[in-house]
């Protein structure tokens, strides 16, 4: 299983959710996030140093999926969340060791 975490523009959430639904993603966590990337949000020079004075609101989405669909999920998020402008976000991926559905005790792929 893979954890796919993506930071996306807020106005892209509905499109991404819809597209993920179509590739078989069963569940997703969405968190209101704030952050900045290399291009920064809004910066200000104070006494010769650059300070971060603004964090741009984003949505963080987290989906855990079977290995077999992870490439498709990554490609779907990349395409759906892309506007071609700065601030479109990032995708981070890592391996998941264990998943458990609390209600039933099912584990791993059966728990997703
Ligand atoms: N290295 C990082 N680690 C963790 N979160 C990051 C990182 N880079 C970006 N983010 C998150 O992703 C959001 C969007 O980043 P953003 O797309 O602006 O990255 P960028 O490197 O500035 O690229 P771009 O030039 O396309 O704007 C940030 O607001 C932040 O929440
Ligand atoms: Mg940026």
């Amino acid at each position: 299983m893979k954890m796919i975490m993506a930071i996306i523009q807020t106005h892209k959430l509905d499109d991404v959710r819809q597209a993920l639904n179509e590739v078989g993603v069963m569940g997703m966590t969405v968190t209101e996030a704030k952050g900045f990337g290399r291009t920064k949000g809004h910066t200000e020079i104070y006494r010769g140093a650059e300070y971060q004075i603004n964090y741009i609101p984003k949505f963080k989405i987290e989906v855990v999926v079977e290995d077999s669909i992870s490439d498709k999920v990554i490609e779907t998020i990349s395409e759906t969340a892309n506007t071609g402008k700065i601030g479109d976000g990032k995708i981070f991926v890592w391996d998941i060791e264990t998943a458990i559905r609390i209600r039933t005790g099912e584990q791993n792929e059966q728990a997703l």
Side-chain angles (χ1 to χ4, degrees):
M1 297 168 292
K2 292 275 190 288
M3 161 65 88
I4 299 165
M5 189 261 262
I7 315 289
I8 61 169
Q9 306 245 42
T10 54
H11 71 273
K12 283 292 192 178
L13 180 65
D14 289 346
D15 289 350
V16 169
R17 181 189 169 161
Q18 174 82 31
L20 289 181
N21 192 38
E22 282 162 20
V23 300
V25 168
M26 309 301 275
M28 162 165 143
T29 301
V30 180
T31 309
E32 290 182 27
K34 289 181 183 177
F36 57 87
R38 275 175 190 242
T39 53
K40 302 287 193 291
H42 180 199
T43 56
E44 190 172 283
I45 306 296
Y46 178 67
R47 294 190 175 170
E50 200 176 54
Y51 285 80
Q52 187 66 44
I53 61 165
N54 205 2
Y55 293 93
I56 308 293
K58 302 282 175 185
F59 280 124
K60 177 170 83 174
I61 64 176
E62 292 163 302
V63 293
V64 177
V65 302
E66 290 183 31
D67 288 337
S68 61
I69 66 165
S70 68
D71 286 347
K72 186 72 189 160
V73 167
I74 292 164
E75 183 188 312
T76 299
I77 297 171
S78 302
E79 287 172 1
T80 312
N82 190 317
T83 69
K85 302 204 180 83
I86 64 168
D88 272 353
K90 305 230 165 127
I91 302 173
F92 301 101
V93 181
W94 61 95
D95 289 325
I96 286 287
E97 201 171 300
T98 309
I100 299 163
R101 173 173 289 109
I102 291 174
R103 175 172 61 83
T104 59
E106 289 161 291
Q107 295 207 2
N108 302 334
E109 281 82 357
Q110 283 70 46
L112 299 182

